[in-house]
Amino acid sequence: AQTVTQSQPEMSVQEAETVTLSCTYDTSENNYYLFWYKQPPSRQMILVIRQEAYKQQNATENRFSVNFQKAAKSFSLKISDSQLGDTAMYFCAFITTSGTYKYIFGTGTRLKVLA
Amino acid sequence: GAVVSQHPSWVICKSGTSVKIECRSLDFQATTMFWYRQFPKQSLMLMATSNEGSKATYEQGVEKDKFLINHASLTLSTLTVTSAHPEDSSFYICSARPALGTGVGAKNIQYFGAGTRLSVL
């Protein structure tokens, strides 16, 4: 079975500092996609970043970057220069390129950015 | 960007009544839509996968007669909670996967609605 694990239920970081959220997954598939979604207090799910498993280069989106280690099945999210608006629940998600296109979500990490 | 509209955002109903929640893809066609349920401080739990023109596929443990899903067009899926009871109170979220060839978004991304808070009295 495919699983996604986020081992940090809660984290906090000082404004302007850097924080890393961890995510590991388990699959026997070779082709898949990984995502980080942000859910702020409004509860709207917002895509933060996306990584294709066949690409070795780590994805980056402005202050957000990932460390994708395929062999270790690890997909961590680094947030640089943290801002108060980054306070949210962050979910790691996984999808295979075949089959039902269902997301498998991790349990989430609640991130609080402190002023 | 791709926008998914979910309506209503909040509904309060009496026990025993039915509630319909709509999920619309506003600027793209979606052959597949997904319905999730989210309890407070928890992750999203997939309830069912809805494909246009066919019956929905429900996840294990989800009562298909309780949660009726209809995906009648490429831009609209509805979730009806029938004979709602207080235990059905929750946050329901839909998402849509753009149809292939539409050129919308990147591959395999789901676009989410803003969610519906259901409170059953």
Side-chain angles (χ1 to χ4, degrees), chain B residues 11-78:
Chain B
V11 57
I12 302 173
C13 69
K14 291 182 178 179
S15 186
T17 61
S18 293
V19 174
K20 181 185 282 189
I21 302 169
E22 290 188 349
C23 180
R24 292 182 185 272
S25 55
L26 295 187
D27 47 3
F28 65 97
Q29 293 182 333
T31 48
T32 306
M33 291 185 174
F34 302 87
W35 287 95
Y36 298 86
R37 184 172 180 175
Q38 187 179 32
F39 292 102
K41 298 187 178 182
Q42 292 190 23
S43 187
L44 281 69
M45 181 188 78
L46 180 66
M47 299 174 65
T49 302
S50 166
N51 289 298
E52 185 265 337
S54 63
K55 289 184 179 180
T57 301
Y58 290 82
E59 295 299 301
Q60 193 172 6
V62 177
E63 300 175 61
K64 60 182 180 182
D65 294 331
K66 159 70 93 175
F67 300 100
L68 299 179
I69 291 171
N70 185 281
H71 193 159
S73 77
L74 285 172
T75 58
L76 174 65
S77 176
T78 60

Side-chain angles (χ1 to χ4, degrees), chain A residues 33 37 39 102-103 106, chain B residues 38 43 59 97 108 110 112:
Chain A
Y33 294 80
Y37 277 88
Q39 189 180 40
K102 296 190 291 188
Y103 276 177
Chain B
Q38 187 179 32
S43 187
E59 295 299 301
R97 180 176 180 271
N108 289 306
Q110 291 181 23
F112 287 83

Side-chain angles (χ1 to χ4, degrees), chain A residues 42-93:
Chain A
S42 68
R43 302 188 80 171
Q44 170 74 60
M45 294 288 283
I46 301 167
L47 177 64
V48 174
I49 202 164
R50 167 181 172 267
Q51 175 79 43
E52 298 167 42
Y54 64 87
K55 288 188 177 178
Q56 292 185 331
Q57 186 173 8
N58 289 324
T60 62
E61 286 288 341
N62 300 313
R63 298 184 294 106
F64 299 88
S65 62
V66 298
N67 183 1
F68 174 50
Q69 302 289 328
K70 190 173 184 180
K73 295 179 182 172
S74 170
F75 182 62
S76 61
L77 174 69
K78 186 171 84 171
I79 305 174
S80 304
D81 185 26
S82 297
Q83 300 175 0
L84 296 177
D86 295 333
T87 293
M89 194 76 168
Y90 286 82
F91 292 101
C92 179

Side-chain angles (χ1 to χ4, degrees), chain A residues 11 14 18 27 33 43 50-51 70 97 100:
Chain A
M11 295 189 72
Q14 288 293 137
T18 295
T27 183
Y33 294 80
R43 302 188 80 171
R50 167 181 172 267
Q51 175 79 43
K70 190 173 184 180
T97 56
T100 59

